[in-house]
């Protein structure tokens, strides 16, 4: 089975890798590019731990083939903190203790950022439905929702 | 597995025709990648359709017809305000499929060809009278949506055939549609029952209607008797009751962990009544 050469942009950097055509983008990110911030919870699109954006759209990287990344622009959790400074969402997750084991956290942060990029002033209901595909087995969600709402307020300059 | 990303439908059809072994088309991948992961399907040939020009287009033509590309995602449909204004029922059905992440990739044609009797986007398309354009070794044909699913996980498409576009008829001035489903929670679940209704009004009388049910038979079912019960009426109580009875009579559900046959049959009637009322309000131009 021959591998396919893929050129793509990950976190604003042009990268290349060889992918088995059956390999998911998630596996390519983790195993070929050593970007292990993106997690695998289920591998079947149910948990959202593998959330990344492809050309600005939030997706489960376990439901994308690595070869589909050819020519695309991908952003992962590794691009969230800029120049060593945490993103407001990341800071608020720490402040609100919105994580315990932390396995779901990268996916939830990436998903929440995608929401706030297009909806800076979401209602709590919007946040809950937007994040319905991100499962967390530890927190009970409440602190996550509060952290996202608080980060949104701060980013709007309303806090 | 061979991975191909052809740049024309002709090339895609040729690849599918020449393929030996298990062949799958890839658009959003939200079903096929799950099936691969579960070991249910191990494709030998994967034909990615997203490099074909036009597959991401969603266009209303001068005559009011909509032509929707086969790789347009649920999120893109939901963001198309004109499509939502014309066919809110079609869009709300698609938007019920999966999470935000899944919406970023999942497509109408994928949902259709996955062949699930519970597919949320299919009843709305059927009620709308939508068709698909099918290309294959013997040329192009136009097929009604309801003629595509053949049973759970199966379609009527032959080897080498592929759907190249979805077409919705012109909405006209006073039409409305609605899709409702029952699930035991509010999000991220599979329909226990689904119901879509599309009506066209003249004055306050319904002049045409189509009603489609999901998850109550091996395929999505059209119920002309239920539509007949409300055509020519202003959706008075008597008409609604006849419609509900016809809907329930058309149900042939299974009992499973998601609901008993009796429950599904009952709920189908309840949803049909509510969907008809919402479709009517939308046809009258009310926000609903
Ligand atoms: S690992 Fe992708 S959704 Fe769970
Ligand atoms: S913090 Fe453990 S899964 Fe969310």
């Amino acid at each position: 089975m021959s591998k396919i050469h893929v050129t793509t942009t990950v976190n604003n950097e042009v990268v290349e890798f060889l992918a088995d055509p059956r390999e998911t983008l998630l596996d390519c990110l983790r195993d070929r590019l050593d970007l292990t911030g993106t997690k695998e919870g289920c591998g079947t699109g149910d948990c959202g731990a593998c959330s990344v954006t492809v050309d600005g759209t939030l997706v489960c990287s376990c439901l994308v083939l690595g070869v589909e990344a050819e020519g695309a622009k991908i952003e992962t959790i590794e691009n969230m903190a800029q120049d060593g400074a945490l993103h407001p969402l990341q800071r608020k997750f720490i402040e609100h203790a919105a994580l315990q084991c932390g396995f779901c956290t990268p996916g939830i942060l990436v998903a929440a950022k995608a929401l706030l990029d297009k909806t800076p002033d979401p209602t709590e209901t919007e946040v809950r439905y937007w994040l319905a595909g991100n499962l967390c087995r530890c927190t009970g969600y409440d602190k996550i929702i509060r952290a996202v709402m608080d980060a949104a307020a701060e980013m709007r300059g309303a806090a | 597995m061979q991975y191909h990303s052809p740049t024309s439908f002709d090339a895609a059809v040729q690849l599918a025709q020449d393929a030996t072994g298990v062949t799958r088309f890839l658009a959003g991948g939200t079903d096929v990648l799950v099936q691969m992961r579960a070991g249910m399907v191990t494709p030998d040939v994967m034909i990615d359709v997203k490099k074909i020009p036009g597959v991401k287009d969603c266009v209303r033509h001068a005559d009011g017809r909509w032509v929707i590309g086969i790789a347009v995602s649920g999120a893109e449909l939901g963001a198309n305000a004109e499509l939502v204004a014309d066919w809110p029922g079609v869009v709300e059905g698609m938007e019920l499929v999966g999470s935000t992440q899944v919406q970023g990739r999942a497509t109408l044609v994928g949902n259709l060809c996955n062949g699930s009797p519970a597919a949320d986007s299919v009843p709305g398309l059927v009620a709308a009278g939508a068709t698909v354009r099918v290309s294959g070794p013997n040329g192009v044909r136009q097929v009604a949506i309801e003629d595509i699913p053949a049973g759970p996980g199966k379609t009527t498409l032959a080897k080498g055939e592929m759907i190249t576009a979805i077409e919705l008829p012109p909405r006209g001035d006073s039409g409305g549609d609605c899709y409702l489903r029952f699930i035991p929670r509010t999000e991220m679940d599979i329909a226990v029952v689904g119901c879509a209704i599309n009506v066209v009004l003249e004055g306050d009388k319904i002049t045409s209607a189509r009603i489609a049910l999901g998850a109550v038979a091996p395929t999505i079912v059209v119920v002309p008797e239920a539509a007949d019960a409300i055509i020519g009426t202003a959706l008075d109580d008597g008409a609604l009751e006849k419609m509900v009875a016809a809907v329930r009579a058309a149900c042939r559900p299974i009992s499973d962990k998601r609901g008993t046959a009796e429950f599904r049959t009952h709920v189908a009637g309840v949803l049909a009544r509510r969907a008809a009322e919402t479709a009517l309000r939308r046809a009258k131009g009310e926000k609903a």
Side-chain angles (χ1 to χ4, degrees):
Chain A
M1 199 180 302
S2 64
K3 290 207 160 82
I4 295 179
H5 180 259
V6 178
T7 307
T8 185
T9 305
V10 180
N11 301 333
N12 306 316
E13 225 177 278
V14 177
V15 295
E16 298 174 58
F17 56 87
L18 288 175
D20 178 303
R22 271 196 199 129
E23 236 173 336
T24 63
L25 175 60
L26 172 62
D27 287 339
C28 291
L29 289 170
R30 291 181 57 86
D31 301 340
R32 310 262 173 225
L33 301 173
D34 286 330
L35 293 170
T36 53
T38 306
K39 305 300 181 195
E40 172 168 321
C42 63
T44 50
D46 297 300
C47 76
C50 64
S51 296
V52 302
T53 60
V54 177
D55 294 328
T57 301
L58 181 69
V59 300
C60 294
S61 60
C62 72
L63 294 187
V64 179
L65 292 177
V67 290
E68 290 183 75
E70 175 67 37
K73 283 200 165 50
I74 293 158
E75 270 193 53
T76 70
I77 184 66
E78 282 86 353
N79 198 41
M80 208 153 170
Q82 290 292 327
D83 304 323
L86 292 181
H87 186 279
L89 274 164
Q90 293 173 307
R91 255 192 299 107
K92 290 299 177 188
F93 266 59
I94 296 170
E95 269 175 40
H96 287 265
L99 63 153
Q100 288 176 32
C101 78
F103 198 80
C104 68
T105 312
I108 294 186
L109 287 168
V110 168
K113 180 170 178 294
L115 172 65
L116 300 188
D117 284 347
K118 80 175 188 85
T119 310
D121 193 6
T123 63
E124 184 184 325
T125 305
E126 280 176 304
V127 176
R128 285 186 184 273
Y129 274 89
W130 182 271
L131 295 177
N134 289 89
L135 303 184
C136 173
R137 295 298 80 175
C138 303
T139 64
Y141 299 103
D142 220 59
K143 291 177 173 183
I144 292 174
I145 304 300
R146 278 188 245 169
V148 174
M149 294 299 285
D150 196 11
E154 182 187 295
M155 288 163 69
R156 294 193 304 273
Chain B
M1 184 179 86
Q2 297 171 30
Y3 169 83
H4 301 283
S5 46
T7 52
S8 74
F9 285 118
D10 286 346
V13 165
Q14 194 64 49
L15 282 164
Q17 226 180 305
D18 297 344
T20 48
V22 179
T23 306
R24 285 290 182 275
F25 290 104
L26 174 66
T30 53
D31 286 312
V32 72
L33 264 74
V34 177
Q35 292 160 358
M36 284 163 66
R37 172 67 184 236
M40 286 162 61
V41 174
T42 308
D44 301 300
V45 179
M46 181 75 88
I47 305 171
D48 187 343
V49 301
K50 291 189 294 294
K51 296 268 156 48
I52 302 173
V55 294
K56 279 278 179 192
D57 295 349
C58 185
V59 184
R60 182 166 56 191
H61 288 258
D63 60 359
R65 258 178 329 125
W66 281 93
V67 177
I68 303 173
I70 56 172
V72 177
S73 69
E76 288 164 332
L77 291 177
N80 189 323
E82 291 185 341
L83 179 68
V84 174
D86 271 8
W87 294 105
V90 170
V91 177
E92 72 198 346
M94 186 63 208
E95 286 190 304
L96 287 172
V97 176
S99 61
T100 314
Q101 285 86 341
V102 166
Q103 281 290 313
R105 297 256 296 167
T107 65
L108 285 170
V109 171
N111 200 221
L112 176 64
C113 291
N114 190 46
S116 166
D120 278 311
S121 74
V122 180
L125 289 170
V126 169
T131 56
V132 289
R133 220 178 282 161
V134 177
S135 280
N138 303 321
V140 178
R141 59 194 179 107
Q142 198 83 17
V143 184
I145 293 284
E146 58 268 33
D147 294 335
I148 295 294
K154 293 199 172 65
T155 72
T156 56
L157 297 172
K159 179 177 163 69
E161 282 193 320
M162 73 181 291
I163 293 175
T164 60
I166 292 198
E167 250 188 69
L168 286 165
R171 174 67 286 186
D173 291 333
S174 49
D177 70 332
C178 174
Y179 173 75
L180 293 175
R181 71 168 177 188
F182 175 82
I183 56 173
R185 51 212 297 239
T186 63
E187 174 73 335
M188 301 289 288
D189 208 342
I190 296 166
V192 178
V193 182
C195 176
I197 301 195
N198 173 33
V199 298
V200 177
L201 289 181
E202 231 177 270
D204 61 356
K205 287 246 157 52
I206 295 171
T207 54
S208 75
R210 276 173 70 85
I211 300 179
L213 302 174
V216 295
T219 61
I220 306 289
V221 286
V222 198
V223 196
E225 303 79 17
D228 289 343
I230 58 171
I231 292 172
T233 77
L235 211 61
D236 53 277
D237 278 349
L240 275 172
E241 257 159 50
K242 270 194 214 143
M243 178 199 73
V244 166
V247 160
R248 290 189 175 137
C251 293
R252 280 178 304 284
I254 53 168
S255 289
D256 65 6
K257 62 178 181 210
R258 317 185 57 75
T260 62
E262 293 88 329
F263 178 75
R264 284 189 155 112
T265 304
H266 176 77
V267 170
V270 176
L271 293 183
R273 176 185 290 264
R274 291 180 193 166
E277 286 168 345
T278 300
L280 184 77
R281 279 197 296 276
R282 286 174 175 169
K284 289 179 175 164
E286 294 166 28
K287 259 204 144 22

